Amino acid sequence: MRELLAGVGAAALVILLYYESSLIPLIFLGALFLVLLRFTGLKAPPVNTVGRVARVKEISFNQIGGQEVAKKELLEALDFVIKPQQISHMGIRPLKGVMLVGPPGTGKTLLARAAAGYTGSSFISVAGSEFIEMYAGVGAQRVRQLFQRCRKKAQKERRNSAILFIDEIDILGGKRGRHSSHLEYDQTLNQLLVEMDGLGGGGDDLHLLVIGATNRPEALDEALLRPGRFDRIVQVDLPDLEGREQILKLHLHNKPLVEGISLEKIARETFGFSGAHLESLANEAAILALREERKTIAEKHLLEAVDKVILGEKLERKPDPEELWRIAVHESGHALVSEALKPGSVSQVTITPRGKALGYVRHRPERDYYLYTVEHLEEKIAVLLGGAVSEQLVLGSRSTGSLSDFNQAVEIAKKIIAAGLSGLGVVSVKELPGALLHRTIQQLVGAREKWVAELLSSKIELIEEVARLVLEKEKITGEILRRQISAHRQAC
Ligand code: ATP
């Protein structure tokens, strides 16, 4: 808005000047323009404000849990920095850039900081978004100045090498030509390419290594990834079971834990968590223990913290008894389908409203999966449908509580089709006529719904028993659920 106002003011001034209008409106407009400038704070942006100058605490690779492959690849690249004689003897060209690619919170920034510590380099960290301004040329100038600052900082600290870490590099290094409104993005990226091409040449005593980080590698301009620039791409994925346990250990080491807690058990409950999620889990568990005025963190605090990290804070709002009964029936349905398909798979059933969820069943993956068979995906759809089918069978109607389950079921069905696992065979989902795609999704989901209805129609009593238990306790563990199932079996 302020840009628009300033632009209109300036244009009016120019037009009036051009037509040699009387001086009074001119003075008036000039004053108005100055006032606009004053109150909108519009002034040329500073060019050298990029980069965190605050001293970052040095960390070592030992303080990063899991990520063994990423660490190994990065360390190998860093040896190029600390053994310059060896690489020049072998005629290897110096490494200029390393690109860390992976989901948010997996430790890319930590790896870059550890890289600086390992190589004894000076370190500057910036974010791609700090470069982009509406003013053409500012971003490019900032890039130029940033490289100069890196050199000066290393000189001042008497270091032979410097690491420049650019987080969210996709903002600064996105594919050129995408932004048609102005060339600012392209100019900024061009300047980065120029600076990188200049590294390692002209008798530069300093080895400057640029480490980029992104979670959208597909958005990067190809020129950035071409050999001689970001030569090495290091994948920083979500941690596996072992990695999660290590990260938990790291973040809990300074917190008082009850003796004998199995962190492996907690790690099993946290499939899909990033390092940042795990750090938050450790913190939340400590807060929960403190709230209960405990001196040590118990397993129940850690497990509750898992829920909190997945779903958010417990909500004060309380559904009325009728709604609560429906929620309990719904969640029991999910849980019973899951146990029927994979005994031991439910970790917890709860009707405590958290975040957007009114109730929740936490499943326990017995291992980390890297690929899924069609049977596995169909089972997931069945578990998702268990809530709605259960409501239908016990209460005679369904509710909007199943909306998110249905959305997820449709997404899984789409995945089955895209992976060539449906009756359509190998197809391009993009080219598929909408009606055919819709029909195939309906068939896939419909077949599972029929199966779940058959399964649960013989378990109506059990659904009610479990729902009553959940309603009474608010939360039951998988063990209690399984005890109820076997008690019911014996009673029949
Ligand atoms: P983004 O892509 O969002 O910038 P990132 O991958 O750079 O995220 P970091 O900033 O390195 O993630 O991690 C955020 C926090 O999560 C860290 O400060 C640390 O507490 C924790 N963390 C993430 N990964 C790990 C790990 N592998 N080991 C220990 N802690 C981790």
Side-chain angles (χ1 to χ4, degrees):
M1 184 61 190
R2 64 186 205 198
E3 288 84 9
L4 187 72
L5 286 173
V8 170
L13 260 177
V14 170
I15 291 167
L16 283 168
L17 269 173
Y18 184 77
Y19 289 106
E20 294 175 359
S21 305
S22 111
L23 217 56
I24 292 165
L26 230 172
I27 293 168
F28 175 73
L29 270 171
L32 185 71
F33 184 58
L34 287 175
V35 167
L36 275 173
L37 279 183
R38 169 82 183 79
F39 285 102
T40 56
L42 192 68
K43 52 184 182 228
V47 284
N48 58 353
T49 53
V50 163
R52 271 148 247 161
V53 270
R55 271 191 82 78
V56 275
K57 219 173 104 201
E58 239 178 53
I59 69 157
S60 84
F61 281 105
N62 293 336
Q63 288 164 271
I64 304 176
Q67 304 299 359
E68 294 312 322
V69 179
K71 278 192 220 167
K72 189 171 152 275
E73 289 219 10
L74 187 59
L75 278 169
E76 198 181 271
L78 296 176
D79 282 342
F80 283 22
V81 177
I82 51 180
K83 295 175 188 156
Q85 290 88 355
Q86 270 183 30
I87 68 156
S88 73
H89 173 71
M90 296 301 285
I92 300 172
R93 69 175 146 71
L95 190 74
K96 296 177 181 177
V98 176
M99 186 69 78
L100 305 178
V101 175
T106 44
K108 298 183 289 298
T109 309
L110 290 184
L111 285 166
R113 281 171 55 195
Y118 178 76
T119 52
S121 305
S122 76
F123 183 70
I124 286 191
S125 160
V126 296
S129 52
E130 293 176 58
F131 290 86
I132 303 302
E133 283 280 352
M134 56 167 289
Y135 308 92
V138 172
Q141 203 175 342
R142 282 182 177 170
V143 170
R144 220 169 12 250
Q145 295 199 342
L146 181 63
F147 276 77
Q148 279 167 9
R149 265 184 51 213
C150 279
R151 291 193 170 88
K152 277 197 195 134
K153 186 166 187 278
Q155 243 173 15
K156 212 166 125 198
E157 293 173 1
R158 298 177 189 283
R159 314 250 191 182
N160 298 328
S161 53
I163 286 182
L164 167 58
F165 175 60
I166 309 180
D167 204 358
E168 313 167 341
I169 198 168
D170 44 286
I171 298 183
L172 154 72
K175 288 194 168 65
R176 279 172 291 185
R178 268 188 325 168
H179 304 276
S180 49
S181 53
H182 58 80
L183 293 171
E184 171 60 357
Y185 286 85
D186 295 359
Q187 282 181 7
T188 310
L189 171 58
N190 285 341
Q191 190 59 42
L192 176 64
L193 298 178
V194 168
E195 294 294 338
M196 288 199 70
D197 289 345
L199 294 180
D204 211 349
D205 281 343
L206 177 81
H207 189 147
L208 202 163
L209 179 70
V210 187
I211 300 185
T214 179
N215 34 54
R216 297 190 313 138
E218 69 290 343
L220 292 175
D221 194 282
E222 272 145 37
L224 210 52
L225 297 176
R226 81 138 229 245
R229 285 171 186 154
F230 284 95
D231 275 318
R232 200 161 272 239
I233 298 181
V234 176
Q235 199 65 37
V236 190
D237 280 325
L238 289 173
D240 58 10
L241 178 64
E242 211 176 303
R244 295 199 295 276
E245 192 182 337
Q246 276 181 28
I247 298 173
L248 278 172
K249 249 183 221 151
L250 283 169
H251 288 291
L252 286 166
H253 91 278
N254 61 347
K255 299 181 173 61
L257 278 191
V258 167
E259 288 265 318
I261 290 185
S262 158
L263 289 186
E264 198 216 316
K265 179 175 173 190
I266 311 296
R268 278 194 190 281
E269 301 286 341
T270 53
F271 175 77
F273 274 38
S274 67
H277 284 128
L278 294 165
E279 188 271 339
S280 166
L281 188 163
N283 201 45
E284 291 300 338
I287 293 172
L288 290 170
L290 193 69
R291 258 188 219 163
E292 289 181 11
E293 298 181 7
R294 298 293 160 98
K295 292 226 157 37
T296 45
I297 301 169
E299 186 184 282
K300 67 169 188 159
H301 300 126
L302 289 163
L303 290 173
E304 186 163 350
V306 174
D307 287 347
K308 183 156 180 216
V309 173
I310 297 176
L311 296 168
E313 186 63 270
K314 267 189 204 166
L315 299 180
E316 284 307 315
R317 94 181 149 203
K318 267 259 172 257
D320 71 20
E322 207 177 301
E323 276 178 329
L324 269 178
W325 174 240
R326 185 177 282 279
I327 298 164
V329 166
H330 182 103
E331 300 308 330
S332 305
H334 284 310
L336 290 175
V337 176
S338 182
E339 282 293 321
L341 287 165
K342 274 203 188 77
S345 58
V346 172
S347 163
Q348 183 186 289
V349 188
T350 170
I351 53 162
T352 311
R354 263 181 199 280
K356 284 189 184 146
L358 292 169
Y360 181 61
V361 173
R362 184 143 47 78
H363 301 276
R364 180 184 295 151
E366 73 265 42
R367 63 175 179 83
D368 292 353
Y369 287 96
Y370 299 101
L371 44 87
Y372 296 98
T373 60
V374 67
E375 291 78 17
H376 194 133
L377 292 171
E378 284 177 347
E379 283 177 5
K380 280 177 114 179
I381 296 180
V383 174
L384 284 165
L385 299 175
V389 173
S390 178
E391 280 186 55
Q392 179 78 52
L393 289 170
V394 177
L395 302 160
S397 67
R398 297 180 177 192
S399 68
T400 51
S402 310
L403 189 69
S404 143
D405 297 336
F406 291 156
N407 286 340
Q408 287 180 58
V410 166
E411 285 311 311
I412 298 175
K414 277 191 194 158
K415 202 184 257 181
I416 293 178
I417 298 168
L421 301 172
S422 74
L424 297 175
V426 179
V427 287
S428 156
V429 174
K430 257 198 296 182
E431 306 296 327
L432 218 55
L436 181 58
L437 177 66
H438 180 63
R439 210 166 41 247
T440 315
I441 293 172
Q442 267 188 330
Q443 278 163 3
L444 282 167
V445 177
R448 285 308 93 206
E449 192 175 351
K450 199 162 157 252
W451 183 88
V452 173
E454 269 164 32
L455 174 83
L456 290 185
S457 54
S458 61
K459 295 183 192 291
I460 296 181
E461 255 177 54
L462 179 59
I463 300 173
E464 287 175 341
E465 279 171 27
V466 174
R468 269 197 293 276
L469 199 61
V470 179
L471 202 58
E472 186 194 329
K473 308 252 185 240
E474 215 179 283
K475 175 160 90 179
I476 60 166
T477 61
E479 284 71 35
I480 294 177
L481 170 72
R482 286 182 280 282
R483 237 179 279 152
Q484 184 66 37
I485 296 173
S486 56
H488 177 85
R489 212 176 281 145
Q490 276 161 15
C492 289

